[in-house]
Amino acid sequence: MDFIGTILWPLRWVVEAILVGFHNVLTAFGMDTAAGSTWVLSIVGLVLVVRACLIPIFVRQIKSQRRMMEIAPRLKKIQDKYKGKRDQFSREAMSRETMALYKDTGTNPLSSCLPLLIQMPIFFSLYTVLHNAQQEKVGIGLLNSALSNSFGESALFGAPLKETFLGATTWEVRLMAGAMVVIMTASQFITQLQIVSKNMSPETKASPMFKQQRMLLYFLPLVFVFSGLSFPLGVMFYWLTSNVWTMAQQFLVIRNMPTPGSEAALAREERLARKQQRKGLPSITVTEIESAPALPKTTQRTQPVGKNRSKKQNGPKK
C-alpha cells in the first residue's frame, strides 16, 4: 500500500461501513439487495452523514471567507499605497501593514483554505470507495466481494450505475447522466450566485476579489459539465447529492449569518424588524445594536440583597 493509501485507509473503512450500514437498513425494510434504487439511496445516506459531520468545518470556512471579504477594501488601500514601489523598504513596510491588518481583524488568509484541505481526503475516499465498488473490487472493510458485485451489477431504471455518459451502451444511461449533469451545473451556479449577488458588501463588490468571484460563478459549473460526462452514474449521484446539500446549506448560512452591509444582511434586518412589529415591540435593526455605545463599567459594589440589607436600612434589632 502506498503512502496516500495508508493515510486514506481509515477514512475508506469508515465510508464503506456507512455505505454498507445504509444498505443493510434499506434491505431490512424490504428493498431488493441488488436493486439500483437501494444502492442509490445508500449513496445518498452516505453523503448526508458525511456532510452533516462537516458542518462545523463549513461554518468556519464561511466565517473566514467573510472576514477576508470585509477587509478586502482595506487590503487594497495598502496595496495601492505601495503600488509601483519595488525597493526593499517599501516591500517590508507593506508586509508589516498587511500583517498588522490581519492581526487587528483576527483574519488569516490561510484559514479559509484549511477547511477545504481537510475535506479533500474525505471526498477522495468517498470517490475511491464508490468507484472501486462499481468496478466490483473488494473493499478494505465491510464491502465484501458479494456486496461489491451487487453494486457493480446494479441498475436504476435500466441504466447500469457503473456506466458513464461517454461509454454508455444504452440511451437510458445517456438520458440519466445528461439530466444529472444539468442539475449539478445548475445547483453549482445557484450556489455561487447566492454569494455574489446577496452576500457581498458594496465595498467588496468594488474590489478585485469580486472579479474573481464573478469568474468562479461561470467557471465552476463548467467543471461539472466536462467531468460529469466521464463519471460513472453512481459517482454522479454522490456529486449531485453533495451539490444540492451545499446549495441548501449556503442558503441557510447566508440567510442567518450574512456579511454585514450586504443585501442579505439588509433583508435579515427587515425580517427581524417585521418580527418585532408583530410582537408589538419597537423595531431595532442589527446595525443599530452593533453601533450602540457600550455601557460604562461601574466600580461601585452593589448593595447586597436580602436580610443583611434589611437590617442595615432598619437599624440594629433591639
Side-chain angles (χ1 to χ4, degrees):
M1 185 180 295
D2 57 357
F3 178 73
I4 300 298
T6 303
I7 296 177
L8 296 180
W9 190 92
L11 293 176
R12 289 179 56 189
W13 194 95
V14 172
V15 168
E16 288 186 10
I18 298 174
L19 179 67
V20 173
F22 272 104
H23 183 266
N24 292 339
V25 170
L26 293 173
T27 54
F29 279 95
M31 297 189 69
D32 186 3
T33 302
S37 57
T38 306
W39 283 110
V40 168
L41 291 178
S42 300
I43 295 172
V44 173
L46 168 65
V47 175
L48 295 181
V49 170
V50 172
R51 294 305 302 268
C53 295
L54 293 175
I55 287 178
I57 299 177
F58 175 82
V59 173
R60 182 177 178 181
Q61 182 181 13
I62 289 297
K63 290 181 178 179
S64 299
Q65 291 175 347
R66 189 175 74 174
R67 285 196 294 266
M68 287 299 299
M69 291 179 183
E70 290 173 356
I71 69 171
R74 299 169 61 184
L75 189 62
K76 185 176 183 299
K77 289 181 180 179
I78 296 176
Q79 295 172 349
D80 292 340
K81 180 180 177 181
Y82 296 96
K83 186 176 181 180
K85 300 180 180 180
R86 301 183 179 277
D87 57 285
Q88 184 177 357
F89 177 79
S90 298
R91 291 198 300 267
E92 292 178 355
M94 185 177 70
S95 178
R96 284 196 302 269
E97 292 186 22
T98 302
M99 296 306 296
L101 176 61
Y102 289 151
K103 183 178 180 181
D104 294 340
T105 57
T107 306
N108 187 345
L110 298 179
S111 59
S112 60
C113 302
L114 183 59
L116 180 62
L117 295 177
I118 296 176
Q119 295 178 47
M120 287 180 62
I122 300 176
F123 291 144
F124 186 76
S125 299
L126 281 168
Y127 173 82
T128 302
V129 169
L130 295 179
H131 185 267
N132 289 345
Q134 288 174 324
Q135 299 297 323
E136 300 182 18
K137 296 180 180 179
V138 180
I140 61 175
L142 301 181
L143 194 63
N144 55 33
S145 177
L147 291 174
S148 295
N149 293 335
S150 174
F151 194 176
E153 298 299 326
S154 61
L156 181 66
F157 301 121
L161 296 182
K162 64 181 180 181
E163 291 194 6
T164 65
F165 181 90
L166 298 177
T169 57
T170 60
W171 64 268
E172 289 90 351
V173 175
R174 288 194 173 90
L175 179 62
M176 186 175 297
M180 283 197 289
V181 167
V182 171
I183 299 175
M184 288 163 59
T185 305
S187 61
Q188 182 63 43
F189 181 81
I190 294 173
T191 300
Q192 289 298 122
L193 184 63
Q194 290 181 115
I195 301 174
V196 173
S197 63
K198 296 182 179 181
N199 203 38
M200 286 188 176
S201 62
E203 294 81 6
T204 304
K205 290 184 178 181
S207 65
M209 185 176 293
F210 179 70
K211 296 180 180 179
Q212 298 176 3
Q213 291 288 340
R214 294 286 298 184
M215 292 176 60
L216 291 177
L217 176 64
Y218 300 101
F219 174 74
L220 287 181
L222 294 178
V223 175
F224 292 98
V225 173
F226 292 103
S227 60
L229 298 178
S230 58
F231 280 166
L233 289 180
V235 177
M236 290 183 65
F237 274 110
Y238 150 68
W239 281 110
L240 176 61
T241 307
S242 183
N243 274 16
V244 174
W245 174 285
T246 301
M247 182 178 64
Q249 189 171 244
Q250 187 75 59
F251 172 79
L252 294 176
V253 169
I254 293 176
R255 179 180 175 84
N256 298 301
M257 299 170 54
T259 301
S262 63
E263 181 182 336
L266 297 177
R268 183 171 182 267
E269 289 183 357
E270 293 178 359
R271 291 195 304 270
L272 294 176
R274 289 194 298 267
K275 186 177 181 180
Q276 294 290 336
Q277 291 176 357
R278 287 196 297 268
K279 292 182 178 180
L281 300 175
S283 59
I284 302 177
T285 63
V286 176
T287 305
E288 293 174 348
I289 295 176
E290 294 178 348
S291 60
L295 296 176
K297 296 182 179 180
T298 58
T299 57
Q300 183 180 0
R301 294 183 62 183
T302 56
Q303 193 71 281
V305 180
K307 296 181 180 180
N308 294 334
R309 184 177 179 181
S310 300
K311 290 179 180 180
K312 186 175 181 179
Q313 293 177 348
N314 299 332
K317 185 177 181 181
K318 296 182 180 180

